[in-house]
Amino acid sequence: MGKVNNSAAKSKAQTSKLKTGKAKAVALKKTIVKKSAGGAAGKQVKAPKKPKPPPSAHSWEGSYLADDHEYGCVNRHISAYTPANPCSHRHQARLKALETPAKYTWPIDADKQPDNDGEWDLTVDGNFETNARIPFYHEAHHVVANAELKAAVVDAGEGIEPKGRVPLIVRSGLMREGYNLNNQINMIILPMVKYAATALGLPLHRRTPIHFHHAVYSAYIKKELVKLFAWVKDAAADHKVPEYENTREAVELLSKRLHPQLIAAGEAMKAGTMAGEALEDIPHDFLSKGRPQNVLNGAPP
């Protein structure tokens, strides 16, 4: 009888010990889960979801257009001064300015002068590249503006089904033909402070830093582009492939024609023969001077 009692007691002690061990294991597991969950007891840590790839910087309709970026670009998308990147519009603007460095050489008779002679000239290292305030507040302006190019391409597909398809095709076609909105052909450095605009004989990019647009100038650009893309629209409506190479050349021709007109307007403002001081103040008929007729009618040049 004593042996039976001892055996039962021993079995009961082993069972109790086993339960205690299991309880400790469960408690330990809960502690581990609690710590890994950042204090939320009983919640498992889920693996973070993989982020979706960002949309292409070169497309507002389809990310596949990025594949065409090897040849061209139809968006303003790089803000930093990046010499190695052909889409760096600030770098491209400086390259364009270097074609006529005298235009960006500070005149010795200007009312405001730097501390050291030549300190604000284009050819000084760091000027017009370090940031938009060196040597003075300025901006790199797209002669054919990004928003207006987009609007003209959208207009080319207006009323043609399926909706939105033509703009995709046109943008891709321009890129494949090597059109680059940010190329130096389409860039010009313009001051953002009046003393620099007056000294250099250039129009202000915007009337003041709080003016975010140059609507009057942009309206002219859109009007010219809509005329130009009428050829593309007609081809698309007839289910024909537009002449993208010629269209690219026509857009570039518009930039080349307007660039000297912007400089001439700035010089006229400095001389007092044109009212105003900014892009917004340049009359549309002045911008149209020297416009070849084939930009308005017939096939692209």
Side-chain angles (χ1 to χ4, degrees), residues 33 176 283 291:
V33 170
R176 287 185 182 277
R291 176 174 52 193

Side-chain angles (χ1 to χ4, degrees), residues 214-267:
H214 34 61
V216 175
Y217 173 84
S218 293
Y220 176 84
I221 297 299
K222 182 180 178 181
K223 179 180 67 174
E224 293 297 298
L225 287 174
V226 166
K227 293 176 183 177
L228 189 159
F229 278 95
W231 309 313
V232 177
K233 188 169 186 173
D234 290 344
D238 292 338
H239 305 287
K240 298 178 181 178
V241 178
E243 294 288 340
Y244 290 118
E245 181 179 3
N246 290 342
T247 304
R248 183 209 78 209
E249 291 175 356
V251 178
E252 291 176 345
L253 180 61
L254 178 61
S255 298
K256 291 176 181 178
R257 175 176 64 80
L258 286 173
H259 191 279
Q261 290 305 106
L262 299 184
I263 292 176
E267 292 172 346

Side-chain angles (χ1 to χ4, degrees), residues 106 112-120:
W106 198 259
K112 189 178 180 68
Q113 292 292 324
D115 294 335
N116 302 303
D117 291 345
E119 187 177 353
W120 293 346

